[in-house]
């Protein structure tokens, strides 16, 4: 039986798809995913340079390589960059590229809104970083505690860049949140019930709910801060009856779900990679999914564990301590299910698999140190000390970043059609693993030795010297490992081995397509009858009934199929530009904000009436 | 390969046993992790508050180390045992096992319940004021130094807090500007100094070591509070009761007016250059919170909020340019000339 000919609209021609303008106006989730990825990796380098500057300053006691205020800017920008401009967008790169492919869709629910999210993120990231050139990078920490952030104690423009930049990023994330929820809930291929959805897609769904429920909190927190700083209100000003603690509650109501936003995508990736390279299904998939949901849900109930030192009182301390311990349970369940996945398997040690295994190992360390400071008596020592710095770097570098690298090595062939070099990949993995342990393990000791965080210098004679030097050496090892990665990435892009459709013997729908996939993804909508549609198609079902995914052979297919693809559009970028202009105008001149607001309004109207 | 699945009952029994053994028997301090020679070690308790934390800290350390070893061992064994061998068939496609799910859900629950009991009792104990007589100290943190007032004694100090050992002490924590945190690890965990509210630490410090009248303990601010957060340090001096009474008596006695000419000149400069506007050399001065009280300054081993050794060279450097020593320091640069600086150094050093 002849396959039907696929007819695509004229705007999908080769000619229309080349050149800068095609990238600026793209609404294709795959191109948007690539742009998120390239941006995130660029910000990774920037955040890494900031880290190296921090570690160089702290390599030895009493140094003055950077000044006190600039050091505080470095720690603020390092964290802000890594969290908002690296881990989140790199996760978004995977949401964008992979989710539609994994659910059998041609694109996301709102392709232009998708492009809007990307441009808004990019402009927000550039705006915050422009602060280095326009007077002062923010120096009040990535968590910006009031009342240090008040106009009285932070008179420069740094905190304004930070607050308005984060607002912009929040707009981008919120738009994407709604987009992906609509996509995942509405656009799955026939037969793909929620429980047949890949775990990566499930984690994406949970993360988007976390985004839309938590970002409004920081939006409010930042609005109150901006009003205090620019319009004379006193929400956080204690002398006038305001309360700095209000900021902490609002910030951490966002901030705690945010850390699950950071880790769940990587957990989703690991849940995809481990089964493929162990050649067994994910053990306890419903339990892994349900644990992810539980983590997301309970994650809204633990925020004040960041505030155990603030004097909330024993009732609050008890409640938040117990809730925090509760979250350890679904987390542990996931780890044991991942171990059971590889147990009894037939493990292939590709680079993607090595990073996924590294995730299990390193995230466990970070999770355990977190359980320690779930207990306030212990936390009153850990809080604001290097022990916490060790904890979150283990879960963020050892967890999120290793997981995301696993995703890169796993999905690079699908995205580019080429394989990354496996030998250099292994060098990257081992140097990362060693580097991160050399950098961050000693920080547990520094915390136990009483070294506080966010200090630009320290004295000798406290036992801190050796561990600080060790951490600095490790940081440079990580820099080297990143360099190896980037060289491999570029070389593989240039002349990597051809990957083919299914280089890894995968289980999910994306591996049924060419590498890279055609612009329209699927010729025909796949019909799904299990949670491992492609695996069952290749090997037969293991569920005891005939579960193969098949193209509907019973139907008579037409000779030609016309596929509608959304046309390119420049309005998303225009509206993004309006958004950043509005926020920037608050620091420049009201007229600029008015121009920005008008651009948003006019742009949105034009976007709405644009022919589809 | 077939996985042998243990029964729930056997898993629960072994886990509960291990946990109870762990918590009961594991207040074992491993010396290398006590960092006993490090002045700010959090593992060398010297008060009832610090000891209470120590007693839960060690069991929790051993439990987490135990879980760490278990997980890493399983991972390592799996990675070696189940690596792909050439020609081997597809592994058994196991989808899950409900007993194991129950087991490894209940295991963490039991451990966490075990940790939660000593946690909750300590939360409440630490935040309950002790019965009976309590020695009051008011702590005020400002950018970037700590002021201490002893209302019962009518005294103030700066950068050093003096405590009597063996008596309950109440530290009432205030902030004069932004959020700071009071942390002297050997006396216990930290508490924030929040503008607009008062936080509390209650503790009874241990006696100094055998043969010593007093012991100096190190601490510093532990909440980012601006440019010189890293330099906002302090010391606690814990006295035996006799030593404490002696200190109080000496502190109440104002330092003798200097007779040595340069120091006498310095006393005049102190007034003429305007130092007196913010700093007082009167140990009872309630204006103490504008700038550090300088009574008995000459007896202090450290200056600039316990950051530098109190010697002529460091003091002169500070007087010449406070901001160079402490970025952003509130003390204005008075553009003192060399003679003024020398005189002031002589005067302040004479205030024993």
């Amino acid at each position: 039986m002849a396959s039907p000919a696929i007819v695509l609209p004229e705007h999908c021609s080769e000619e229309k798809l080349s050149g800068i303008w095609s990238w600026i106006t793209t609404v294709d989730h795959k191109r948007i995913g690539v742009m998120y990825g390239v941006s995130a990796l660029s910000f990774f380098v920037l955040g890494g340079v900031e880290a190296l500057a921090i570690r160089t300053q702290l390599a030895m006691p009493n140094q003055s390589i950077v000044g006190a205020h600039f050091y505080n800017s470095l720690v603020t920008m390092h964290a802000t960059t890594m969290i908002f401009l690296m881990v989140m967008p790199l996760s978004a790169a995977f949401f964008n590229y992979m989710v539609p492919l994994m659910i059998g869709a041609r694109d996301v629910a709102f392709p232009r809104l998708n492009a809007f999210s990307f441009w808004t993120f990019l402009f927000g990231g550039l705006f915050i970083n422009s602060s280095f050139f326009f007077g002062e990078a923010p120096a009040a920490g990535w968590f910006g505690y009031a009342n240090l952030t008040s106009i009285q104690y932070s008179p420069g423009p740094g905190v304004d860049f930070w607050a308005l930049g984060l607002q912009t990023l929040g707009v981008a994330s919120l738009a994407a949140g709604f987009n992906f929820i609509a996509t995942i809930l509405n656009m799955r291929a026939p037969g793909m019930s929620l429980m047949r959805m890949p775990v990566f897609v499930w984690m994406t769904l949970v993360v988007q709910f976390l985004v839309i429920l938590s970002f409004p909190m920081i939006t409010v927190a930042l609005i109150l801060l901006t009003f205090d700083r620019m319009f004379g209100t006193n929400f956080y000003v204690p002398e006038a009856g305001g309360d700095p603690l209000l900021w902490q509650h609002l910030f951490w109501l966002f901030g705690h779900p945010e850390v699950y936003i950071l880790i769940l995508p990587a957990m989703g990736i690991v849940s995809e990679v481990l089964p493929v390279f162990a050649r067994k299904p994910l053990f306890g998939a419903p339990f892994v999914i349900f644990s992810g949901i539980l983590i997301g849900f309970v994650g809204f109930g633990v925020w004040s564990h960041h505030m155990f030192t603030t004097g909330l009182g024993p009732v609050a301390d008890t409640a938040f301590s117990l809730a925090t311990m509760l979250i350890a349970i679904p987390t542990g369940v996931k780890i044991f299910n991942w171990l059971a996945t590889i147990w009894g398997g037939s493990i292939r040690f590709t680079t993607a698999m090595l990073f996924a295994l590294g995730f299990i190992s390193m995230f466990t360390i970070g999770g355990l140190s977190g359980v320690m400071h779930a207990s306030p008596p212990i936390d009153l020592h850990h809080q604001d000390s290097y022990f916490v710095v060790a904890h979150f770097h283990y879960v963020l570098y050892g967890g999120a970043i290793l997981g995301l690298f696993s995703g890169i090595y796993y999905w690079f062939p699908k995205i580019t059609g080429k394989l990354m070099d496996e030998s250099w990949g292994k060098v990257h993995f081992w140097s990362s693993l060693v580097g991160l342990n050399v950098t961050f393990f000693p920080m547990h000791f520094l915390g136990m030795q009483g070294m506080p965080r966010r200090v630009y210098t320290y004295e000798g004679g406290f036992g801190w010297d050796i561990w600080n030097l060790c951490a600095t050496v490790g940081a440079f090892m990580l820099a080297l490992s990143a360099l190896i990665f980037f060289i491999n990435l570029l070389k593989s892009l240039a002349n990597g081995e051809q990957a083919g459709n299914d280089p890894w013997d995968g289980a999910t729908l994306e591996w049924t397509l060419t590498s890279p996939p055609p612009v329209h993804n699927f010729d025909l909508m796949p019909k799904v009858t299990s949670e491992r549609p492609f695996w069952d198609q290749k090997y037969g079902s293991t569920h005891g009934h005939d579960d193969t995914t098949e193209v509907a052979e019973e139907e008579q297919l037409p000779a030609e199929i016309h596929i509608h693809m959304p046309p390119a559009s420049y309005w998303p970028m225009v509206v993004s530009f309006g958004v950043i202009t509005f926020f920037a105008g608050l620091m420049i001149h009201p007229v600029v904000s008015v121009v920005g607001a008008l651009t948003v309004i006019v742009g949105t109207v034009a976007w709405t009436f644009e022919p589809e | 390969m077939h996985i042998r699945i243990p029964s729930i009952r056997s898993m629960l029994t072994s886990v509960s046993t291990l946990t109870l053994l762990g918590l009961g028997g594991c207040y074992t301090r491993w010396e290398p992790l006590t960092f006993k020679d490090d002045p700010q070690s959090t593992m060398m308790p010297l008060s009832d508050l610090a000891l209470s934390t120590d007693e839960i800290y060690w069991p929790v350390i051993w439990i987490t180390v135990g879980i760490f070893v278990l997980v890493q061992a399983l991972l390592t064994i799996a990675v070696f045992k189940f690596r792909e061998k050439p020609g081997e068939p597809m592994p058994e496609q196991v989808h899950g096992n409900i007993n194991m799910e129950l087991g490894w859900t209940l295991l963490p629950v039991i451990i966490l319940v075990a940790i939660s009991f000593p946690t909750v009792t300590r939360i409440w104990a630490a935040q309950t004021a002790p019965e009976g007589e309590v020695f009051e100290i008011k702590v005020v943190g400002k950018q970037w130094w700590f002021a201490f007032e002893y209302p019962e004694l009518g005294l103030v100090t700066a950068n050093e807090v003096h405590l009597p050992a063996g008596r309950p002490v109440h530290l009432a924590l205030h902030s004069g500007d932004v959020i700071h945190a009071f942390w002297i690890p050997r006396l216990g965990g930290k508490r924030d100094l929040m503008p607009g509210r008062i936080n509390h630490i209650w503790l009874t410090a241990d006696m100094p070591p055998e043969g010593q009248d007093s012991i100096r303990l190190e601490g510093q601010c532990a909440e980012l509070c601006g440019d010189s957060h890293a330099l906002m340090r302090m010391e606690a001096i814990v006295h035996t009761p006799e030593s404490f009474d002696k200190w109080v008596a000496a502190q109440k006695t104002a330092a003798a007016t200097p007779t040595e000419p340069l120091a006498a000149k310095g006393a005049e400069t102190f007034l003429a250059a305007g130092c007196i506007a913010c700093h007082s050399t009167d140990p009872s001065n309630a204006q103490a919170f504008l700038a550090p009280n300088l009574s008995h300054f000459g007896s202090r081993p450290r200056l600039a909020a316990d950051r530098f050794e109190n010697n002529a060279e460091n003091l002169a450097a500070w007087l010449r340019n406070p901001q160079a020593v402490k970025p952003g320091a509130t003390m204005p640069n008075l553009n003192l000339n060399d003679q003024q600086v020398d005189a002031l150094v002589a005067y302040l050093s004479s205030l024993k």
Side-chain angles (χ1 to χ4, degrees):
Chain A
M1 193 195 75
S3 306
I6 303 296
V7 178
L8 293 166
E10 187 262 331
H11 61 80
C12 290
S13 65
E14 282 272 332
E15 184 206 300
K16 281 276 157 74
L17 289 181
S18 54
I20 295 256
W21 187 248
S22 73
W23 285 88
I24 289 178
T25 58
T26 187
V27 299
D28 179 348
H29 71 98
K30 298 186 288 298
R31 286 197 163 195
I32 292 171
V34 167
M35 291 197 291
Y36 266 114
V38 169
S39 308
L41 291 174
S42 306
F43 281 119
F44 181 49
V45 173
L46 181 56
V49 167
E50 286 156 350
L52 291 177
I54 293 167
R55 286 308 332 158
T56 306
Q57 166 67 9
L58 293 179
M60 292 193 291
N62 298 317
Q63 298 201 112
S64 38
I65 298 171
V66 300
H69 188 78
F70 189 67
Y71 179 89
N72 289 348
S73 289
L74 284 173
V75 298
T76 304
M77 290 305 290
H78 166 71
T80 304
T81 298
M82 289 305 198
I83 292 169
F84 294 102
L85 306 179
M86 187 268 177
V87 174
M88 286 182 76
L90 192 51
S91 303
F94 290 122
F95 302 156
N96 269 279
Y97 207 108
M98 290 304 154
V99 165
L101 300 182
M102 291 175 110
I103 63 175
R106 293 227 164 84
D107 208 303
V108 296
F110 305 110
R112 287 173 298 179
L113 190 67
N114 203 15
F116 166 76
S117 284
F118 170 73
W119 294 112
T120 308
F121 143 71
L122 184 65
F123 292 150
L126 292 172
F127 175 74
I128 293 191
N129 279 288
S130 73
S131 63
F132 280 110
F133 303 106
F134 288 113
E136 182 207 21
W142 84 275
F143 50 95
Y145 273 7
N147 53 340
L148 182 62
T149 49
S150 68
I151 198 79
Q152 178 181 1
Y153 297 107
S154 291
V159 172
D160 297 307
F161 274 107
W162 178 78
L164 298 172
L166 281 186
Q167 286 289 34
T168 311
L169 296 173
V171 168
S173 292
L174 279 167
F178 291 114
N179 208 347
F180 279 98
I181 291 174
T183 305
I184 292 171
L185 292 183
N186 288 294
M187 294 176 67
R188 282 165 286 131
M192 187 179 278
S193 64
L194 284 174
M195 290 313 285
R196 286 184 185 158
M197 217 164 61
V199 175
F200 177 71
V201 182
W202 257 113
M203 295 301 104
T204 303
L205 184 64
V206 172
V207 164
Q208 303 313 315
F209 275 103
L210 290 176
V211 167
I212 66 175
L213 293 172
S214 69
F215 268 80
M217 321 261 211
I218 194 174
T219 306
V220 167
L222 291 169
I223 290 176
L224 300 187
L225 178 66
T226 302
F227 267 74
D228 270 13
R229 287 178 62 82
M230 291 185 175
F231 306 121
T233 54
N234 291 301
F235 293 104
Y236 306 124
V237 179
E239 293 86 357
D243 190 355
L245 211 53
L246 173 64
W247 166 270
Q248 292 193 36
H249 281 294
L250 290 173
F251 181 81
W252 288 117
L253 271 163
F254 152 77
H256 197 81
E258 167 67 9
V259 314
Y260 297 120
I261 291 170
L262 295 174
I263 197 61
L264 286 175
M267 288 184 161
I269 293 174
V270 164
S271 303
E272 297 297 328
V273 168
L274 291 176
V276 168
F277 296 103
R279 312 204 80 215
K280 281 174 71 226
L282 179 66
F283 195 95
F287 289 90
V288 174
I289 291 169
F290 190 63
S291 294
I293 295 170
L294 213 56
I295 288 170
F297 188 72
V298 180
F300 276 97
V302 300
W303 79 89
S304 283
H305 68 219
H306 301 270
M307 298 162 64
F308 283 145
T309 58
T310 61
L312 296 172
V315 174
D317 284 354
T318 303
F320 284 101
S321 173
L322 296 178
T324 306
M325 292 184 193
L326 199 65
I327 276 211
I329 296 165
T331 314
V333 165
K334 287 192 164 207
I335 292 180
F336 290 120
N337 274 292
W338 288 323
L339 288 173
T341 302
I342 62 175
W343 193 274
S346 177
I347 303 174
R348 286 177 288 155
F349 294 101
T350 57
T351 308
M353 185 59 161
L354 287 170
F355 273 105
L357 294 168
F359 175 101
I360 298 177
S361 178
M362 298 295 104
F363 180 78
T364 300
I365 297 176
L368 289 171
S369 60
V371 167
M372 293 178 77
H373 42 250
S375 172
I378 299 176
D379 185 64
L380 296 186
H381 276 313
H382 288 185
Q383 166 75 3
D384 267 298
S385 78
Y386 263 83
F387 202 96
V388 175
V389 181
H391 159 70
F392 65 68
H393 281 99
Y394 266 93
V395 291
L396 282 177
Y397 206 117
I401 293 183
L402 292 193
L404 289 165
F405 276 130
S406 176
I408 292 178
Y409 284 93
Y410 181 55
W411 278 315
F412 181 90
K414 179 54 55 185
I415 296 170
T416 63
K418 302 190 172 147
L419 292 167
M420 283 188 76
D421 184 289
E422 279 290 311
S423 308
W424 283 109
K426 285 171 173 115
V427 174
H428 174 212
F429 170 70
W430 288 109
S431 56
S432 296
L433 193 70
V434 172
L436 84 91
N437 281 291
V438 172
T439 310
F440 301 118
F441 202 82
M443 292 183 181
H444 294 107
F445 302 138
L446 286 174
M448 293 169 85
Q449 291 169 310
M451 182 174 178
R453 287 173 77 170
R454 302 158 181 158
V455 289
Y456 78 95
T457 189
Y458 57 94
E459 276 180 83
F462 283 77
W464 301 340
D465 304 13
I466 180 68
W467 303 126
N468 272 289
L469 186 60
C470 188
T472 302
V473 168
F476 279 91
M477 290 176 71
L478 286 174
L480 187 62
S481 81
L483 184 65
I484 291 170
F485 165 72
F486 280 112
I487 295 177
N488 189 0
L489 189 72
L490 294 170
K491 280 188 56 173
S492 304
L493 267 171
N495 47 29
E497 200 187 310
Q498 287 297 317
N501 295 9
D502 184 21
W504 309 127
D505 198 17
T508 39
L509 288 175
E510 74 271 29
W511 305 108
T512 64
L513 302 174
T514 58
S515 302
V519 67
H520 60 286
N521 298 347
F522 297 90
D523 284 357
L524 297 165
M525 210 47 47
K527 283 197 173 51
V528 168
T529 46
S530 89
E531 83 284 358
R532 296 197 296 166
F534 191 35
W535 186 271
D536 292 348
Q537 194 179 312
K538 289 185 283 189
Y539 298 109
S541 164
T542 55
H543 284 284
H545 51 274
D546 186 9
D547 266 343
T548 53
T549 306
E550 38 186 288
V551 174
E553 291 181 287
E554 309 79 35
E555 288 173 36
Q556 267 293 70
L557 292 165
E560 257 186 11
I561 293 184
H562 289 250
I563 294 185
H564 169 71
M565 291 298 292
S569 170
Y570 49 74
W571 291 114
M573 195 204 219
V574 169
V575 177
S576 289
F577 187 73
V579 169
I580 192 67
T581 308
F582 169 75
F583 284 119
L586 294 174
M587 292 178 72
I588 304 172
H589 193 282
V591 167
V592 176
S593 285
V594 169
V595 167
L598 286 173
T599 310
V600 169
I601 295 170
V602 167
T604 310
V605 170
W607 168 339
T608 312
F609 288 104
E610 194 177 34
E612 278 185 64
Chain B
M1 100 140 248
H2 199 72
I3 307 170
R4 208 168 55 85
I5 294 154
S7 73
I8 300 203
R9 192 144 160 258
S10 67
M11 282 199 288
L12 273 181
T13 316
S14 37
V15 161
S16 340
T17 317
L18 283 169
T19 312
L20 290 168
L21 272 176
L23 281 187
C26 269
Y27 180 46
T28 310
R29 292 154 58 84
W30 185 47
E31 208 197 293
L33 277 186
T34 61
F35 301 106
K36 64 180 177 28
D37 296 323
D38 297 333
Q40 271 171 223
S41 170
T42 58
M43 314 302 289
M44 293 293 292
L46 217 48
S47 77
D48 60 343
L49 180 66
L51 183 63
S52 165
T53 297
D54 203 66
E55 285 169 346
I56 189 180
Y57 206 162
W58 284 103
V60 169
I61 289 176
W62 297 129
I63 291 172
T64 48
V65 166
I67 299 173
F68 165 79
V69 167
L70 172 72
V71 171
Q72 306 296 349
L74 288 170
L75 185 62
T76 311
I77 293 170
V79 149
F80 279 101
K81 196 173 163 68
F82 300 109
R83 64 194 187 286
E84 183 185 49
K85 289 136 204 141
E88 76 176 346
M90 187 175 297
E92 191 182 339
Q93 301 287 290
V94 182
H95 287 270
N97 178 287
I98 190 77
N99 282 345
M100 299 192 81
E101 299 291 347
L102 282 170
W104 60 47
T105 304
L106 286 174
L107 155 64
V109 168
I110 292 169
I111 294 175
L112 291 167
V113 165
I115 295 176
S116 66
F117 277 96
T119 292
V120 175
T121 52
R122 281 164 175 75
I123 292 172
W124 287 84
Q127 297 185 51
T128 310
E131 312 245 314
E133 185 249 337
V134 171
F135 181 71
E136 295 286 337
I137 301 178
K138 178 179 171 182
V139 181
V140 181
K142 300 179 65 154
Q143 288 175 321
W144 289 278
W145 59 285
F146 288 96
F148 303 97
E149 187 187 359
Y150 311 78
E152 297 163 19
L153 306 173
L155 285 176
V156 297
T157 57
N159 305 325
E160 296 181 346
V161 58
H162 291 256
L163 307 164
R167 286 166 62 187
V169 172
H170 172 222
L171 296 152
L173 306 173
H174 303 248
S175 165
D177 41 36
V178 297
I179 304 177
H180 299 277
F182 181 93
W183 193 30
I184 300 185
R186 295 196 68 186
L187 287 180
K190 65 184 69 69
R191 268 292 163 217
D192 289 353
L193 282 60
M194 300 283 306
R197 62 177 67 208
I198 304 174
N199 279 336
H200 307 277
I201 295 178
W202 288 279
L203 61 86
T204 300
D206 292 354
M207 287 292 166
E210 192 69 41
Q212 277 177 244
D213 278 343
S214 63
I215 181 168
R216 299 190 85 89
L217 304 174
E218 297 291 326
Q220 63 189 100
C221 175
E223 183 61 64
L224 179 65
C225 53
D227 290 359
S228 278
H229 164 61
L231 306 182
M232 186 170 168
R233 299 185 48 79
M234 65 185 141
E235 284 185 310
I237 297 96
V238 175
H239 296 264
T240 61
E242 306 78 37
S243 159
F244 187 71
D245 293 337
K246 272 202 212 113
W247 172 78
V248 171
Q251 192 70 13
K252 281 185 171 166
T253 316
T257 325
T259 47
E260 192 269 322
L262 189 58
K265 185 95 183 33
E268 288 170 21
T269 315
F270 191 83
L271 302 172
C275 315
I276 193 73
C278 301
H279 291 280
S280 169
T281 54
D282 175 356
S284 70
N285 195 307
Q287 285 286 359
F289 308 138
L290 199 56
N293 183 292
L294 298 177
S295 61
H296 305 287
F297 179 83
S299 308
R300 294 186 208 167
R302 312 261 286 175
L303 58 78
D306 181 40
R307 180 65 174 91
F308 300 101
E309 197 191 316
N310 185 0
N311 57 37
E313 191 190 330
N314 289 337
L315 183 53
W318 173 266
L319 290 169
R320 278 198 198 96
N321 190 347
Q323 283 72 32
V325 174
K326 192 167 208 172
T330 318
M331 170 165 156
N333 187 334
L334 296 166
N335 292 311
L336 304 165
N337 60 43
D338 287 343
Q339 290 96 329
Q340 288 172 306
V341 169
D342 290 341
L344 282 169
V345 169
Y347 168 60
L348 291 168
S349 311
S350 78
L351 298 176
K352 299 262 186 232

